Amino acid sequence: MAVGRNDPCPCGSGKRYKQCHGGLGAVPAAPAAPPPAVLAAMNAALAHQQQGEFADADRMYGLALTLAPDNFDALHMQGVVAYQRREFHRAEALIRRAIGINPRVETAHHNLNLVLQAHALESELCRSMLPALADWCAPGAPARTATTHVITFDAIDSEMLRHYRAALERALAAEPEVRIWRQQRDGALQAGLDALPEALPRAGMFVFVGAGVAPGPWYRDAKPAAAVIVCHEAAPCAVYDQVRSVSHELAHRVHLWFTSEAVAREAALRGGCGDAAALAAWLRQSPADPA
């Protein structure tokens, strides 16, 4: 289902589609038309976006970008979808990439300003609420348990965090009780090489590498003995949301670990701080759980 020329443009500009992305002069003609598969993915993405099906729209724009990584419209519109999903860091990165490809499209600059303003307002609100979580952030290292589950997130697109995660996995590689898991973008959990593919993590210590993405439905029955959140960026809302989701809406306390002093200062909550090797040492030196 293609967007009608008199419909509001899905990019969020407030203009009619024919006066924005549907206008003949909105974007300078590319040297060659996108392949049919890219056009099909874009049309499907627009249809999902118009229906408010943002996860499906995101997936289809991602498919278009897999086929054509420098497609301006796919980058711009996926950035708009990320904005609609309140993923402001990601929205900014995508729209900036689009502007880098074609800086002459006014709508893209307008949407970038919307993203920056919304992110600033939300961050200030979350920053004001973080002190209320202080009592739910446990001091010191968590008690060691029989098994440690390290959970990573496909949805967190951060090169720094990818390096941090890889370093942490190397530092913990010799620990027989460590299991590595990867949560996919749809919330499903995939076992690492050292975990049984048919199993799900149960009990033990859970170390969530990255803040800003809630654990999937699998976490409802996980029954963690302890939970650690590795906070990788100065993003008050990511920390606030992650503490609430990992603590099962403040049903139990969590431990925080910050990847840098700057991130720790922004959160202003107690927790450990350092590189991946320091985190691995902190987890190893945790006192044994008397239970």
Side-chain angles (χ1 to χ4, degrees), residues 148 150 167-178 180 207 276 279-281 283-284:
T148 297
V150 177
L168 178 61
E169 291 178 4
R170 288 195 299 272
L172 295 173
E175 302 292 328
E177 75 278 10
V178 174
I180 307 296
V207 181
L279 171 57
L283 295 173
R284 290 193 196 98

PDB file of all heavy atoms in Angstrom, residues 148 150 167-178 180 207 276 279-281 283-284:
ATOM      1  N   THR A 148      26.569 -17.315  36.106  1.00  0.00           N
ATOM      2  CA  THR A 148      26.444 -15.925  35.701  1.00  0.00           C
ATOM      3  C   THR A 148      25.991 -15.888  34.242  1.00  0.00           C
ATOM      4  O   THR A 148      26.627 -16.488  33.379  1.00  0.00           O
ATOM      5  CB  THR A 148      27.780 -15.171  35.847  1.00  0.00           C
ATOM      6  OG1 THR A 148      28.166 -15.157  37.219  1.00  0.00           O
ATOM      7  CG2 THR A 148      27.649 -13.731  35.351  1.00  0.00           C
ATOM      8  N   VAL A 150      25.436 -13.576  31.028  1.00  0.00           N
ATOM      9  CA  VAL A 150      25.756 -12.285  30.407  1.00  0.00           C
ATOM     10  C   VAL A 150      24.806 -12.085  29.233  1.00  0.00           C
ATOM     11  O   VAL A 150      24.789 -12.879  28.289  1.00  0.00           O
ATOM     12  CB  VAL A 150      27.219 -12.244  29.935  1.00  0.00           C
ATOM     13  CG1 VAL A 150      27.517 -10.916  29.235  1.00  0.00           C
ATOM     14  CG2 VAL A 150      28.163 -12.446  31.121  1.00  0.00           C
ATOM     15  N   ALA A 167      35.405  -7.619  24.967  1.00  0.00           N
ATOM     16  CA  ALA A 167      36.457  -7.668  25.987  1.00  0.00           C
ATOM     17  C   ALA A 167      35.957  -8.366  27.249  1.00  0.00           C
ATOM     18  O   ALA A 167      36.691  -9.142  27.884  1.00  0.00           O
ATOM     19  CB  ALA A 167      36.933  -6.253  26.305  1.00  0.00           C
ATOM     20  N   LEU A 168      34.702  -8.118  27.630  1.00  0.00           N
ATOM     21  CA  LEU A 168      34.143  -8.769  28.805  1.00  0.00           C
ATOM     22  C   LEU A 168      34.034 -10.276  28.588  1.00  0.00           C
ATOM     23  O   LEU A 168      34.367 -11.069  29.480  1.00  0.00           O
ATOM     24  CB  LEU A 168      32.769  -8.178  29.131  1.00  0.00           C
ATOM     25  CG  LEU A 168      32.031  -8.792  30.318  1.00  0.00           C
ATOM     26  CD1 LEU A 168      32.823  -8.612  31.600  1.00  0.00           C
ATOM     27  CD2 LEU A 168      30.644  -8.187  30.459  1.00  0.00           C
ATOM     28  N   GLU A 169      33.586 -10.677  27.409  1.00  0.00           N
ATOM     29  CA  GLU A 169      33.462 -12.111  27.127  1.00  0.00           C
ATOM     30  C   GLU A 169      34.828 -12.792  27.155  1.00  0.00           C
ATOM     31  O   GLU A 169      34.957 -13.916  27.648  1.00  0.00           O
ATOM     32  CB  GLU A 169      32.769 -12.315  25.779  1.00  0.00           C
ATOM     33  CG  GLU A 169      31.297 -11.898  25.807  1.00  0.00           C
ATOM     34  CD  GLU A 169      30.626 -12.053  24.456  1.00  0.00           C
ATOM     35  OE1 GLU A 169      31.286 -12.566  23.513  1.00  0.00           O
ATOM     36  OE2 GLU A 169      29.457 -11.655  24.321  1.00  0.00           O
ATOM     37  N   ARG A 170      35.862 -12.098  26.649  1.00  0.00           N
ATOM     38  CA  ARG A 170      37.218 -12.669  26.715  1.00  0.00           C
ATOM     39  C   ARG A 170      37.688 -12.781  28.159  1.00  0.00           C
ATOM     40  O   ARG A 170      38.297 -13.781  28.554  1.00  0.00           O
ATOM     41  CB  ARG A 170      38.190 -11.805  25.914  1.00  0.00           C
ATOM     42  CG  ARG A 170      38.032 -11.906  24.405  1.00  0.00           C
ATOM     43  CD  ARG A 170      39.241 -11.312  23.696  1.00  0.00           C
ATOM     44  NE  ARG A 170      39.420  -9.899  24.000  1.00  0.00           N
ATOM     45  CZ  ARG A 170      38.857  -8.902  23.320  1.00  0.00           C
ATOM     46  NH1 ARG A 170      38.078  -9.176  22.275  1.00  0.00           N
ATOM     47  NH2 ARG A 170      39.078  -7.652  23.657  1.00  0.00           N
ATOM     48  N   ALA A 171      37.403 -11.756  28.957  1.00  0.00           N
ATOM     49  CA  ALA A 171      37.858 -11.759  30.353  1.00  0.00           C
ATOM     50  C   ALA A 171      37.177 -12.850  31.169  1.00  0.00           C
ATOM     51  O   ALA A 171      37.755 -13.363  32.137  1.00  0.00           O
ATOM     52  CB  ALA A 171      37.594 -10.393  30.982  1.00  0.00           C
ATOM     53  N   LEU A 172      35.952 -13.220  30.773  1.00  0.00           N
ATOM     54  CA  LEU A 172      35.197 -14.233  31.522  1.00  0.00           C
ATOM     55  C   LEU A 172      35.267 -15.614  30.874  1.00  0.00           C
ATOM     56  O   LEU A 172      34.649 -16.557  31.366  1.00  0.00           O
ATOM     57  CB  LEU A 172      33.724 -13.804  31.635  1.00  0.00           C
ATOM     58  CG  LEU A 172      33.443 -12.538  32.447  1.00  0.00           C
ATOM     59  CD1 LEU A 172      31.974 -12.159  32.330  1.00  0.00           C
ATOM     60  CD2 LEU A 172      33.832 -12.734  33.908  1.00  0.00           C
ATOM     61  N   ALA A 173      36.033 -15.731  29.781  1.00  0.00           N
ATOM     62  CA  ALA A 173      36.028 -16.976  29.006  1.00  0.00           C
ATOM     63  C   ALA A 173      36.466 -18.184  29.823  1.00  0.00           C
ATOM     64  O   ALA A 173      35.980 -19.301  29.600  1.00  0.00           O
ATOM     65  CB  ALA A 173      36.928 -16.829  27.779  1.00  0.00           C
ATOM     66  N   ALA A 174      37.358 -17.977  30.771  1.00  0.00           N
ATOM     67  CA  ALA A 174      37.871 -19.109  31.552  1.00  0.00           C
ATOM     68  C   ALA A 174      36.942 -19.505  32.698  1.00  0.00           C
ATOM     69  O   ALA A 174      37.195 -20.513  33.373  1.00  0.00           O
ATOM     70  CB  ALA A 174      39.253 -18.768  32.107  1.00  0.00           C
ATOM     71  N   GLU A 175      35.883 -18.741  32.910  1.00  0.00           N
ATOM     72  CA  GLU A 175      34.971 -19.033  34.015  1.00  0.00           C
ATOM     73  C   GLU A 175      33.945 -20.074  33.569  1.00  0.00           C
ATOM     74  O   GLU A 175      33.138 -19.815  32.670  1.00  0.00           O
ATOM     75  CB  GLU A 175      34.247 -17.759  34.455  1.00  0.00           C
ATOM     76  CG  GLU A 175      35.172 -16.635  34.895  1.00  0.00           C
ATOM     77  CD  GLU A 175      35.898 -16.974  36.176  1.00  0.00           C
ATOM     78  OE1 GLU A 175      35.325 -17.696  37.012  1.00  0.00           O
ATOM     79  OE2 GLU A 175      37.049 -16.526  36.338  1.00  0.00           O
ATOM     80  N   PRO A 176      33.942 -21.273  34.158  1.00  0.00           N
ATOM     81  CA  PRO A 176      33.048 -22.337  33.680  1.00  0.00           C
ATOM     82  C   PRO A 176      31.580 -22.060  33.935  1.00  0.00           C
ATOM     83  O   PRO A 176      30.710 -22.618  33.269  1.00  0.00           O
ATOM     84  CB  PRO A 176      33.525 -23.567  34.475  1.00  0.00           C
ATOM     85  CG  PRO A 176      34.169 -22.998  35.705  1.00  0.00           C
ATOM     86  CD  PRO A 176      34.802 -21.715  35.273  1.00  0.00           C
ATOM     87  N   GLU A 177      31.285 -21.167  34.876  1.00  0.00           N
ATOM     88  CA  GLU A 177      29.887 -20.940  35.231  1.00  0.00           C
ATOM     89  C   GLU A 177      29.259 -19.777  34.457  1.00  0.00           C
ATOM     90  O   GLU A 177      28.124 -19.395  34.727  1.00  0.00           O
ATOM     91  CB  GLU A 177      29.768 -20.674  36.739  1.00  0.00           C
ATOM     92  CG  GLU A 177      30.229 -19.300  37.210  1.00  0.00           C
ATOM     93  CD  GLU A 177      31.735 -19.190  37.413  1.00  0.00           C
ATOM     94  OE1 GLU A 177      32.440 -20.132  37.011  1.00  0.00           O
ATOM     95  OE2 GLU A 177      32.191 -18.172  37.959  1.00  0.00           O
ATOM     96  N   VAL A 178      29.971 -19.212  33.498  1.00  0.00           N
ATOM     97  CA  VAL A 178      29.464 -18.066  32.747  1.00  0.00           C
ATOM     98  C   VAL A 178      28.763 -18.542  31.476  1.00  0.00           C
ATOM     99  O   VAL A 178      29.275 -19.380  30.737  1.00  0.00           O
ATOM    100  CB  VAL A 178      30.607 -17.090  32.387  1.00  0.00           C
ATOM    101  CG1 VAL A 178      30.095 -15.983  31.469  1.00  0.00           C
ATOM    102  CG2 VAL A 178      31.193 -16.485  33.655  1.00  0.00           C
ATOM    103  N   ILE A 180      26.747 -17.025  27.960  1.00  0.00           N
ATOM    104  CA  ILE A 180      26.565 -15.837  27.130  1.00  0.00           C
ATOM    105  C   ILE A 180      25.256 -15.963  26.351  1.00  0.00           C
ATOM    106  O   ILE A 180      24.992 -16.989  25.720  1.00  0.00           O
ATOM    107  CB  ILE A 180      27.739 -15.652  26.141  1.00  0.00           C
ATOM    108  CG1 ILE A 180      29.077 -15.661  26.889  1.00  0.00           C
ATOM    109  CG2 ILE A 180      27.562 -14.372  25.342  1.00  0.00           C
ATOM    110  CD1 ILE A 180      29.263 -14.517  27.850  1.00  0.00           C
ATOM    111  N   VAL A 207      23.889 -10.328  34.089  1.00  0.00           N
ATOM    112  CA  VAL A 207      24.649  -9.126  33.768  1.00  0.00           C
ATOM    113  C   VAL A 207      24.153  -8.606  32.419  1.00  0.00           C
ATOM    114  O   VAL A 207      24.361  -9.246  31.382  1.00  0.00           O
ATOM    115  CB  VAL A 207      26.158  -9.408  33.708  1.00  0.00           C
ATOM    116  CG1 VAL A 207      26.930  -8.124  33.384  1.00  0.00           C
ATOM    117  CG2 VAL A 207      26.653  -9.992  35.032  1.00  0.00           C
ATOM    118  N   ALA A 276      36.172  -3.356  30.896  1.00  0.00           N
ATOM    119  CA  ALA A 276      35.625  -4.710  30.961  1.00  0.00           C
ATOM    120  C   ALA A 276      36.436  -5.608  31.893  1.00  0.00           C
ATOM    121  O   ALA A 276      35.874  -6.448  32.601  1.00  0.00           O
ATOM    122  CB  ALA A 276      35.569  -5.302  29.554  1.00  0.00           C
ATOM    123  N   LEU A 279      35.400  -4.876  35.384  1.00  0.00           N
ATOM    124  CA  LEU A 279      34.089  -5.466  35.676  1.00  0.00           C
ATOM    125  C   LEU A 279      34.220  -6.964  35.928  1.00  0.00           C
ATOM    126  O   LEU A 279      33.614  -7.495  36.874  1.00  0.00           O
ATOM    127  CB  LEU A 279      33.127  -5.211  34.511  1.00  0.00           C
ATOM    128  CG  LEU A 279      31.777  -5.935  34.565  1.00  0.00           C
ATOM    129  CD1 LEU A 279      31.024  -5.605  35.848  1.00  0.00           C
ATOM    130  CD2 LEU A 279      30.922  -5.568  33.343  1.00  0.00           C
ATOM    131  N   ALA A 280      34.993  -7.663  35.107  1.00  0.00           N
ATOM    132  CA  ALA A 280      35.175  -9.103  35.298  1.00  0.00           C
ATOM    133  C   ALA A 280      35.794  -9.390  36.662  1.00  0.00           C
ATOM    134  O   ALA A 280      35.375 -10.320  37.367  1.00  0.00           O
ATOM    135  CB  ALA A 280      36.048  -9.668  34.179  1.00  0.00           C
ATOM    136  N   ALA A 281      36.791  -8.582  37.047  1.00  0.00           N
ATOM    137  CA  ALA A 281      37.413  -8.767  38.358  1.00  0.00           C
ATOM    138  C   ALA A 281      36.426  -8.489  39.479  1.00  0.00           C
ATOM    139  O   ALA A 281      36.403  -9.194  40.498  1.00  0.00           O
ATOM    140  CB  ALA A 281      38.631  -7.853  38.475  1.00  0.00           C
ATOM    141  N   LEU A 283      33.198  -8.903  39.395  1.00  0.00           N
ATOM    142  CA  LEU A 283      32.264 -10.022  39.489  1.00  0.00           C
ATOM    143  C   LEU A 283      32.923 -11.232  40.146  1.00  0.00           C
ATOM    144  O   LEU A 283      32.285 -11.938  40.929  1.00  0.00           O
ATOM    145  CB  LEU A 283      31.757 -10.392  38.093  1.00  0.00           C
ATOM    146  CG  LEU A 283      30.906  -9.325  37.379  1.00  0.00           C
ATOM    147  CD1 LEU A 283      30.614  -9.763  35.956  1.00  0.00           C
ATOM    148  CD2 LEU A 283      29.609  -9.089  38.140  1.00  0.00           C
ATOM    149  N   ARG A 284      34.211 -11.469  39.843  1.00  0.00           N
ATOM    150  CA  ARG A 284      34.915 -12.625  40.429  1.00  0.00           C
ATOM    151  C   ARG A 284      35.119 -12.452  41.932  1.00  0.00           C
ATOM    152  O   ARG A 284      35.089 -13.413  42.683  1.00  0.00           O
ATOM    153  CB  ARG A 284      36.272 -12.816  39.772  1.00  0.00           C
ATOM    154  CG  ARG A 284      36.239 -13.295  38.338  1.00  0.00           C
ATOM    155  CD  ARG A 284      37.626 -13.745  37.908  1.00  0.00           C
ATOM    156  NE  ARG A 284      37.733 -13.852  36.466  1.00  0.00           N
ATOM    157  CZ  ARG A 284      38.253 -12.902  35.694  1.00  0.00           C
ATOM    158  NH1 ARG A 284      38.720 -11.788  36.226  1.00  0.00           N
ATOM    159  NH2 ARG A 284      38.309 -13.082  34.392  1.00  0.00           N
TER     160      ARG A 284
END
